[in-house]
Amino acid sequence: MFEDYGIITQEDLEDLKESISTQDLPSAINTIKEYLKKQDLVELNIGVTGESGSGKSTFVNAFRGLGDEDEGSAETGPVETTMEPEVYLHPKYKNVKVWDLPGIGTPNFKADEYLKLVQFERYDFFIIIASDRFRECHTQLAEEIKNMGKKFYFVRSKIDFCITAEKRKKNFDQKKTLDTIREDCKNGLKKIGIEDPVVFLISGWELGKYDLNQLQERMEKELPQHKRRVLMLALPNITLEINEKKKKALEENIGKVALLSACVAVIPLPGLSIAADIAIIADELRKYYSVFGLDDPSLQKLCERSGKTVEELKSLMKSPLHQGINTSSILTLLGAASLFISEDAVELLVSFIPIIGSLVAGGLSYLTVSGMLKRALNDIADDARNVLMASLETEV
């Protein structure tokens, strides 16, 4: 029924009602604050392993949106540069930790001893990388990880090198080449004891190409619910599929943020008949820009890689907020959003979650902020999509 107003879904309201329905107002505010705070503290630990020179460190960097020479990047090179587990924090999400693990494949390699050495229990999952064929050291490790109840993903790296080499041939067909490599990897793994292997083809230099979408889908599917959101926000915004999933992940919090904003405010905003905490809304909007990589530092990095200028990319942004998130721009958007809220919608909301009726213009305030955030998120996601397409010079 609420979907008819195009503001918030019935499912979101059910979730909100379940969180606060039995509480008084101060308790409801604390519940939402705690929920949002805990959400930002959920840790994700990813172990990246493979033989020396297989592209482990480049993958560690690319997964965090960094180049090999960027500040905070893992050291890369043709010989093993990692002698013990080394943690690299995500530049924006310090709760996301990507671990560059020591190389495997030495003559005396023993998978069980290796996993004890790297403290296997701390990782949510492992990425097992090979730049050529998978060998017994990879499968031994995979079996041991499986026995210990953890997930792993086989990644065949440096795919860009293979494509470049194959392009020299007359009858080059990229899809056929990728299928051949994938089947070769899978057959190799079957021969050394892995049933039904799944292999993801990845380039650390061009992470958005090839099998990244399939890899993130598999990881997302197999992670616990509370860690999926962390993964989606942390992934670099380098494919249209990831762009859309980031939007969906951010949408999930709109109801809670809107209620918190309405709960905390005690007097109506100037010129509007609603009460909302502007600082809470501004923080959420800044988060949108950061998640999609539209903040100034992220745009600058994108320009260095794509050869575009910041001005070129910003000219593609249509959201009124890209000129600046401030009180004036937020009030303008709230004013526009309030025009679409009907009395029927407000009454329906208050009957559904009575506690909202005890706030200053509670129902109207909540629905206005929800509608405004949803519209802003849609606009910012569209801007991110346009910037991404321009940086790849791709038509969709």
Side-chain angles (χ1 to χ4, degrees):
M1 52 186 168
F2 288 99
E3 284 91 337
D4 295 341
Y5 299 104
I7 300 159
I8 194 155
T9 67
Q10 180 78 18
E11 193 181 341
D12 287 336
L13 282 175
E14 293 280 5
D15 179 45
L16 197 58
K17 184 179 181 181
E18 193 179 323
S19 305
I20 64 166
S21 61
T22 59
Q23 301 176 338
D24 55 31
L25 194 54
S27 302
I29 293 172
N30 285 335
T31 296
I32 296 170
K33 279 184 177 175
E34 275 303 302
Y35 175 87
L36 294 173
K37 185 180 172 186
K38 279 181 184 173
Q39 201 178 48
D40 290 338
L41 295 175
V42 172
E43 270 200 10
L44 185 64
N45 285 277
I46 302 164
V48 182
T49 186
E51 291 181 280
S52 303
S54 60
K56 288 187 293 113
S57 300
T58 294
F59 181 87
V60 167
N61 294 334
F63 191 88
R64 296 178 302 134
L66 299 177
D68 285 345
E69 295 181 8
D70 287 345
E71 188 180 339
S73 63
E75 189 180 342
T76 59
V79 296
E80 183 59 48
T81 55
T82 310
M83 306 321 287
E84 58 185 63
E86 194 152 353
V87 64
Y88 292 91
L89 303 183
H90 193 285
K92 290 181 179 177
Y93 305 96
K94 305 305 177 191
N95 51 323
V96 175
K97 301 174 181 180
V98 187
W99 295 78
D100 195 354
L101 304 182
I104 61 174
T106 54
N108 299 318
F109 175 75
K110 289 187 175 64
D112 56 341
E113 290 177 9
Y114 176 86
L115 287 172
K116 281 175 192 163
L117 171 74
V118 301
Q119 297 177 25
F120 80 95
E121 66 280 351
R122 73 177 152 207
Y123 309 105
D124 291 290
F125 57 81
F126 293 82
I127 304 284
I128 303 175
I129 296 183
S131 58
D132 191 6
R133 294 181 184 278
F134 287 96
R135 301 192 302 114
E136 282 196 24
C137 58
H138 300 105
T139 56
Q140 283 174 26
L141 188 58
E143 286 298 330
E144 199 64 34
I145 291 169
K146 187 178 170 185
N147 292 340
M148 292 172 169
K150 299 276 185 177
K151 297 289 183 185
F152 61 87
Y153 306 98
F154 287 121
V155 165
R156 167 66 158 83
S157 64
K158 302 188 180 180
I159 291 301
D160 49 317
F161 291 0
C162 301
I163 295 298
T164 302
E166 288 295 312
K167 269 183 180 173
R168 296 177 188 144
K169 297 179 180 175
K170 263 186 185 177
N171 301 319
F172 170 71
D173 181 318
Q174 180 162 305
K175 185 181 182 303
K176 202 176 280 185
T177 301
L178 294 173
D179 287 344
T180 301
I181 296 169
R182 195 178 288 108
E183 281 308 307
D184 183 54
C185 288
K186 285 162 77 171
N187 290 334
L189 285 166
K190 281 177 189 172
K191 280 179 189 170
I192 46 180
I194 297 290
E195 287 180 29
D196 249 358
V198 178
V199 178
F200 300 96
L201 311 184
I202 297 289
S203 161
W205 294 107
E206 301 171 304
L207 191 62
K209 286 189 176 182
Y210 314 115
D211 290 348
L212 178 67
N213 285 322
Q214 293 92 314
L215 176 59
Q216 66 82 12
E217 276 172 20
R218 186 70 176 257
M219 291 189 294
E220 186 187 9
K221 182 181 169 187
E222 295 182 343
L223 274 172
Q225 180 70 39
H226 66 296
K227 299 213 176 197
R228 289 176 196 168
R229 181 177 187 275
V230 182
L231 174 70
M232 285 321 307
L233 299 191
L235 279 169
N237 197 48
I238 49 178
T239 73
L240 297 177
E241 289 84 352
I242 289 174
N243 191 79
E244 189 59 28
K245 289 196 172 188
K246 282 178 179 286
K247 179 179 145 185
K248 284 180 180 165
L250 290 166
E251 264 175 358
E252 289 171 8
N253 273 358
I254 285 179
K256 291 182 177 69
V257 172
L259 186 62
L260 189 59
S261 173
C263 284
V264 171
V266 290
I267 55 170
L269 292 168
L272 295 172
S273 53
I274 66 164
D277 187 289
I278 295 292
I280 290 172
I281 296 171
D283 282 347
E284 190 68 4
L285 293 171
R286 288 189 192 99
K287 184 185 288 182
Y288 295 171
Y289 274 91
S290 178
V291 166
F292 285 111
L294 297 181
D295 52 307
D296 285 344
S298 299
L299 283 177
Q300 191 59 54
K301 264 187 192 167
L302 183 58
C303 289
E304 288 165 14
R305 289 174 198 158
S306 67
K308 306 279 183 188
T309 66
V310 172
E311 290 70 28
E312 278 180 275
L313 295 182
K314 284 197 171 183
S315 72
L316 301 169
M317 298 186 199
K318 307 303 177 194
S319 166
L321 292 164
H322 88 272
Q323 301 286 2
I325 296 169
N326 49 50
T327 302
S328 173
S329 60
I330 291 172
L331 286 174
T332 300
L333 292 181
L334 285 171
S338 68
L339 300 175
F340 293 94
I341 310 300
S342 71
E343 286 183 27
D344 288 348
V346 173
E347 285 175 20
L348 191 57
L349 175 69
V350 173
S351 68
F352 194 71
I353 306 179
I355 198 171
I356 290 179
S358 65
L359 304 169
V360 178
L364 180 59
S365 301
Y366 172 80
L367 290 174
T368 298
V369 176
S370 295
M372 178 263 188
L373 286 174
K374 190 168 185 180
R375 175 64 188 273
L377 177 57
N378 287 340
D379 288 348
I380 294 166
D382 284 348
D383 284 351
R385 188 177 190 277
N386 292 336
V387 166
L388 172 60
M389 284 163 54
S391 70
L392 299 173
E393 294 185 336
T394 303
E395 286 186 12
V396 175

